Amino acid sequence: MDKGSGLETGATLPRSPTGKRTPMRDVRTEYAAETKNLTMLFGKFKALDKLSLRIQKGIIYGLLGPNGAGKTTAVKILCGLLTPTDGQAYVLGTKVPNRNILPQIGYMPQETALYVELSVHQNMELFGELYGMTSKKITEKEDELLRFVALEKWKHSPVANLSGGMRHRTSLACSMIHEPRLLLLDEPTVGVDPELRSAFWQYFNALRQAGVTIIITTHYMDEAQHCDKIGLVRQGRLIADGTPRQIMKETKTTNLEDAFLALSRGQETS
Amino acid sequence: MNIKRTLAITKKTFRGIWSDKAALMLLLVTPALSIVVFAFGFGGDVSHVRVAVVNQDQGYQIPPSRVRVSISGAILANLDSKVVEVDEVATEAEGVKLVKSADAYGVIVFPKDFTRNVYEKSLDPSLSLDTTIRVKLDKTNVNVAGVIREAIGDALVGASASMGVEGTATLDTSDAIYGEDATMRDFFLPAIATYILYIETFLMVVQAFVGQRISGSLARLQVTPLRPSEFVVGNAIAYSVLGLMQAAIMLTFSVYVFGIACEGSMLLAFLVIGVLAVMSLSLGMVLSSLARRSEQALASLSIVALPSFLLCGMFWPVEAIPTWLRPLSYVVPNTYAINAARDVMLQGWGIGQIWLELVVLAAFTVFFLALSTVSLGRVKG
């Protein structure tokens, strides 16, 4: 339907928010993530039904759909947390699940998934150490990320004392501490106020400019405007794939919510 | 109190319980299982206790009869074979050796010419003849020592009556091979301390693991380069330190505050209880990695706690448990820990005598750690 805005190997890389250039080593595939006929059954419930996606490197890809559409299941398969019932999934050219690609992935789950008894700093330090980062590097990256998520003042507060939104921001910072090449963010903007949400998108854009691929799931249709490409998912099936503009054009609608409703009706009648 | 709101809570709780069939099964099966184990394992009496017998009595041909009788033989025949199992040895030293190697609980010594002395003394009580049966016991197990004393006493009374020599032979149980001044408290403490630590460590680990699973942090760790083995060993190190601290506190309080006997090395007693704590946390990790919900993990506690409580030899010796049920005692790690703790604290045994128990506990630990690594590797999301 369209092409992504991925950077090609050898292109001049913009600086990442850390001020460092992000190297691009993998030339085996142009796709950061790819799924082929991905099917996932939970008992009799079909969470994914032959889902096929191709997500180019260096873009922000939004996986959109209502609750229960199968977005989180797809992300968990890409992370290696779930093994599909049928079909294949590839991340950075490697069939998943595969431990070797884990250092290149950053994952932010839908739930907070932090050690609430530990402070923000201690959580970030833990994740940094798990990725084999040096103390100096962790400190540098932590300071930068805490500035970004506006949590510098709360660095030494136990996560248990933070609000829901603050916990979400801490979780996002933890998923980015090791400068991954692919970020899988499951509903990252839930519980985040509009001002900070806007800042999040600016940062995601900066990461994208640095060559990081970002896959975001959301059920907020308005957020999809920020994505280079989106995939609309309903009942485990991909019902549309392309740029937001293309999808609206094809469905003759003016916003993605209406586009989704039009596509859903089309799916029901077919 | 509003009855509708109250019942709404009751209904919610029942629905929650009903939704988790695995936990429900465990909750319902455990009471029945515990009673079965208790009924078969306990049965109210100590039985099948091994005792060494040194019989120097050759019997006596009572004149003018030509029949040779043996009062010691009659006493032994009168011993309740369900309670006491006799192991005849040639010398007292041999019998003591059996007790020291934990193969017997006591030694019964019939002196030379016992029958003749008893018979002659029954005719003339003023005679100074040796008619005393000496019973040297391992008194560290207060229950067992009492049962042996009672069984021999009953056998002596029965045999003396049937042979018409009532009140002539006497029983001397004052000698102890171990536990000269042992009390019930001394006997139970090593077992109770070991058991409490076993349960506490288990609960500590289960609570922590299930918490990580519910919060999603366990799944998140699985998306990092962290390997299951690193997760298991990392946790094992942390909880071992806590378990060892608990063991040290428990032992220090028992011995220095409450004056519980510790005949052997405190360091060795600490090592035994500490190794059990590490074993227990590794068992906790296995069960928590298998459990999907906190209710399942906690229900598994009843499976872990109750059979080991009844089968580990805390209240009655493993030998007293029916033969068909006994193999279960040997797969309960606590059996080895309690044995070793008692051996060190009550009998003063050293590493040379309890190394096997320590090796078994270490083997259980390695097995459970390996199992939790495999189990965590399989558990996703």
Side-chain angles (χ1 to χ4, degrees):
Chain A
M1 224 170 187
D2 95 317
K3 68 177 186 64
S5 55
L7 291 164
E8 298 306 318
T9 308
T12 307
L13 297 171
R15 287 186 183 279
S16 75
T18 55
K20 300 278 165 57
R21 291 186 193 281
T22 308
M24 290 182 69
R25 286 163 299 184
D26 189 0
V27 292
R28 283 174 297 173
T29 174
E30 62 181 304
Y31 302 114
E34 191 180 359
T35 67
K36 291 176 185 170
N37 293 321
L38 213 55
T39 301
M40 186 76 208
L41 291 171
F42 292 108
K44 287 178 183 171
F45 176 70
K46 198 179 262 187
L48 291 180
D49 188 5
K50 294 182 178 168
L51 183 80
S52 293
L53 294 171
R54 277 182 169 177
I55 301 168
Q56 282 138 315
K57 284 180 182 167
I59 67 166
I60 299 178
Y61 188 91
L63 209 49
L64 268 75
N67 292 326
K71 306 181 298 286
T72 298
T73 304
V75 166
K76 283 189 171 177
I77 290 174
L78 291 174
C79 287
L81 279 174
L82 291 174
T83 305
T85 313
D86 199 14
Q88 297 91 40
Y90 299 85
V91 168
L92 300 169
T94 305
K95 191 174 179 184
V96 288
N98 188 320
R99 296 191 56 82
N100 295 333
I101 54 137
L102 294 179
Q104 300 178 59
I105 294 179
Y107 168 57
M108 178 190 170
Q110 207 172 80
E111 61 273 30
T112 313
L114 293 168
Y115 290 93
V116 293
E117 66 280 14
L118 303 185
S119 69
V120 172
H121 160 69
Q122 287 164 339
N123 270 283
M124 294 190 73
E125 187 181 55
L126 165 70
F127 284 98
E129 285 172 351
L130 292 179
Y131 285 101
M133 294 168 69
T134 61
S135 302
K136 192 181 165 206
K137 182 73 183 164
I138 292 172
T139 310
E140 273 174 28
K141 194 68 193 162
E142 183 186 357
D143 289 345
E144 175 208 315
L145 287 169
L146 288 181
R147 263 197 309 280
F148 153 60
V149 293
L151 283 175
E152 302 112 299
K153 285 184 195 165
W154 305 90
K155 184 175 176 178
H156 296 292
S157 301
V159 172
N161 293 353
L162 303 183
S163 68
M166 286 167 147
R167 290 183 192 199
H168 237 66
R169 280 141 61 189
T170 309
S171 177
L172 178 62
C174 286
S175 68
M176 296 195 294
I177 191 142
H178 61 296
E179 299 181 324
R181 294 178 60 206
L182 171 65
L183 259 178
L184 293 155
L185 308 175
D186 198 0
E187 306 271 7
T189 51
V190 167
V192 177
D193 63 65
E195 198 181 337
L196 197 60
R197 197 186 289 191
S198 165
F200 268 25
W201 281 104
Q202 280 179 26
Y203 191 76
F204 295 156
N205 279 322
L207 285 172
R208 189 256 320 265
Q209 290 298 313
V212 178
T213 310
I214 303 172
I215 300 173
I216 289 181
T217 72
T218 181
H219 60 271
Y220 297 134
M221 298 291 172
D222 59 319
E223 286 206 321
Q225 308 288 352
H226 299 282
C227 300
D228 298 310
K229 270 186 78 174
I230 55 171
L232 290 177
V233 187
R234 186 173 180 265
Q235 293 171 347
R237 291 183 193 171
L238 187 70
I239 56 171
D241 181 41
T243 64
R245 191 184 291 258
Q246 280 175 328
I247 290 175
M248 285 187 285
K249 193 178 169 188
E250 284 189 5
T251 53
K252 295 180 179 124
T253 53
T254 53
N255 60 64
L256 282 169
E257 205 158 318
D258 290 342
F260 182 81
L261 292 171
L263 287 161
S264 300
R265 279 194 295 272
Q267 192 194 21
E268 276 166 11
T269 53
S270 65
Chain B
M1 183 186 276
N2 181 301
I3 192 73
K4 199 171 176 181
R5 287 197 298 263
T6 308
L7 290 177
I9 293 296
T10 309
K11 190 166 74 180
K12 184 249 355 153
T13 307
F14 272 128
R15 281 179 170 168
I17 295 168
W18 184 248
S19 71
D20 193 343
K21 301 287 189 299
L24 183 65
M25 278 299 288
L26 281 174
L27 285 172
L28 295 179
V29 165
T30 308
L33 186 75
S34 306
I35 291 302
V36 168
V37 171
F38 182 77
F40 284 116
F42 184 46
D45 299 313
V46 172
S47 59
H48 303 288
V49 176
R50 287 185 74 188
V51 175
V53 172
V54 184
N55 196 351
Q56 296 161 336
D57 178 32
Q58 301 96 340
Y60 181 55
Q61 196 176 325
I62 303 166
S65 153
R66 286 188 174 184
V67 181
R68 197 169 188 86
V69 295
S70 167
I71 299 175
S72 60
I75 292 170
L76 290 175
N78 262 16
L79 271 175
D80 186 342
S81 59
K82 277 186 187 168
V83 176
V84 176
E85 285 178 4
V86 169
D87 201 351
E88 292 219 26
V89 291
T91 63
E92 190 177 325
E94 225 174 296
V96 171
K97 201 174 162 189
L98 278 181
V99 174
K100 289 196 170 177
S101 62
D103 290 319
Y105 280 95
V107 186
I108 303 171
V109 182
F110 290 99
K112 206 177 170 190
D113 296 328
F114 176 69
T115 303
R116 180 183 182 155
N117 294 349
V118 170
Y119 183 73
E120 287 182 356
K121 203 169 178 180
S122 70
L123 298 175
D124 181 2
S126 64
L127 289 172
S128 175
L129 296 168
D130 186 4
T131 56
T132 304
I133 307 164
R134 284 186 303 115
V135 181
K136 295 178 89 171
L137 292 170
D138 170 2
K139 293 183 180 173
T140 56
N141 192 324
V142 181
N143 282 350
V144 174
V147 166
I148 296 172
R149 263 196 297 262
E150 197 182 321
I152 298 170
D154 287 349
L156 171 64
V157 170
S160 302
S162 66
M163 300 186 87
V165 290
E166 295 103 318
T168 312
T170 55
L171 209 57
D172 176 11
T173 59
S174 58
D175 270 4
I177 297 169
Y178 290 121
E180 186 72 59
D181 306 309
T183 62
M184 277 295 231
R185 209 169 62 151
D186 292 328
F187 171 65
F188 277 113
L189 187 109
I192 297 287
T194 308
Y195 190 79
I196 289 172
L197 199 65
Y198 170 66
I199 297 299
E200 275 196 359
T201 319
F202 178 85
L203 276 178
M204 180 169 69
V205 170
V206 166
Q207 194 185 8
F209 267 56
V210 173
Q212 288 186 72
R213 166 161 291 173
I214 291 168
S215 74
S217 43
L218 191 61
R220 189 172 195 160
L221 292 181
Q222 289 176 315
V223 186
T224 71
L226 180 75
R227 291 182 177 278
S229 56
E230 293 162 348
F231 179 78
V232 166
V233 174
N235 274 294
I237 292 169
Y239 287 113
S240 296
V241 170
L242 287 174
L244 291 174
M245 282 166 66
Q246 286 181 311
I249 291 167
M250 204 171 261
L251 214 55
T252 308
F253 259 77
S254 308
V255 175
Y256 295 112
V257 180
F258 294 105
I260 299 296
C262 183
E263 299 292 332
S265 152
M266 273 281 279
L267 203 65
L268 191 58
F270 169 69
L271 182 69
V272 170
I273 300 179
V275 170
L276 176 86
V278 180
M279 190 287 307
S280 171
L281 72 89
S282 57
L283 177 63
M285 282 201 264
V286 173
L287 292 172
S288 353
S289 63
L290 293 172
R292 303 295 299 174
R293 295 170 58 176
S294 57
E295 288 85 351
Q296 288 173 3
L298 287 173
S300 72
L301 172 69
S302 49
I303 292 287
V304 168
L306 288 167
S308 85
F309 184 70
L310 299 168
L311 294 169
C312 66
M314 183 160 22
F315 301 105
W316 53 88
V318 173
E319 294 87 340
I321 293 168
T323 321
W324 65 271
L325 205 56
R326 218 173 293 166
L328 276 181
S329 291
Y330 295 118
V331 293
V332 169
N334 247 353
T335 305
Y336 303 93
I338 286 176
N339 246 342
R342 276 183 177 152
D343 289 345
V344 173
M345 293 184 74
L346 297 173
Q347 298 172 343
W349 283 13
I351 187 90
Q353 291 145 302
I354 62 150
W355 66 269
L356 191 60
E357 274 99 340
L358 286 175
V359 167
V360 172
L361 284 174
F364 269 116
T365 307
V366 172
F367 175 68
F368 288 141
L369 287 177
L371 208 60
S372 33
T373 302
V374 172
S375 176
L376 277 168
R378 285 184 179 175
V379 172
K380 298 285 181 189

